[in-house]
Amino acid sequence: YQRRVHGETVRHNPTEMSSINIWNEFWGNYQKITPQRLKVCDAFCVYYGVVALINLAYCLVFGSYPFNAFLSAMFASVGCFVLTVSLRMQSNPENAPQFKGITHQAAFSHFAMCCTLLLLVCVHFMG
């Protein structure tokens, strides 16, 4: 079958579409098309996701004795993940019509202030 990717016609044979080929095509397109600013946001999203999984694994293995500390850590990692996704949406050039009047510097300053406020609330919640 055929499909168009960024103006180019790409032909695919359904028998050759293994998961490795799909991953390689995805990764090649991601590296070629995605701006560096969005790649940094994606790296932070992966980091925050890994931190949340580590917190959850620690809670499952060792228990959640200081439960408010566990909740603070989860709120901080999930909250920063959500704020980073919001920054990525505002920094994406394809979404520019939806965020008229918001510059990249303003979006980043909003992100930094919200992350700081979130982390202060999490530290206060820990006690």
Side-chain angles (χ1 to χ4, degrees), residues 39-66:
K39 290 178 186 175
V40 171
C41 289
D42 292 340
F44 274 115
C45 285
V46 168
Y47 170 74
Y48 291 131
V50 168
V51 168
L53 289 176
I54 290 172
N55 283 331
L56 185 63
Y58 181 86
C59 178
L60 293 175
V61 171
F62 297 108
S64 62
Y65 167 61

Side-chain angles (χ1 to χ4, degrees), residues 4-100:
R4 293 188 62 81
V5 177
H6 298 286
E8 299 175 12
T9 302
V10 180
R11 297 177 192 270
H12 293 286
N13 185 353
T15 59
E16 295 176 3
M17 294 301 291
S18 69
S19 59
I20 293 173
N21 291 342
I22 293 170
W23 171 256
N24 288 336
E25 182 180 348
F26 164 76
W27 188 249
N29 286 337
Y30 178 80
Q31 291 294 327
K32 182 172 53 171
I33 297 169
T34 307
Q36 188 67 27
R37 180 176 291 149
L38 298 182
K39 290 178 186 175
V40 171
C41 289
D42 292 340
F44 274 115
C45 285
V46 168
Y47 170 74
Y48 291 131
V50 168
V51 168
L53 289 176
I54 290 172
N55 283 331
L56 185 63
Y58 181 86
C59 178
L60 293 175
V61 171
F62 297 108
S64 62
Y65 167 61
F67 192 63
N68 56 346
F70 167 70
L71 282 181
S72 290
M74 288 302 290
F75 288 156
S77 58
V78 171
C80 285
F81 178 87
V82 169
L83 290 172
T84 305
V85 168
S86 175
L87 175 64
R88 187 188 194 285
M89 288 174 54
Q90 292 179 16
S91 298
N92 192 348
E94 295 176 3
N95 295 338
Q98 295 174 347
F99 299 103
K100 294 178 183 172

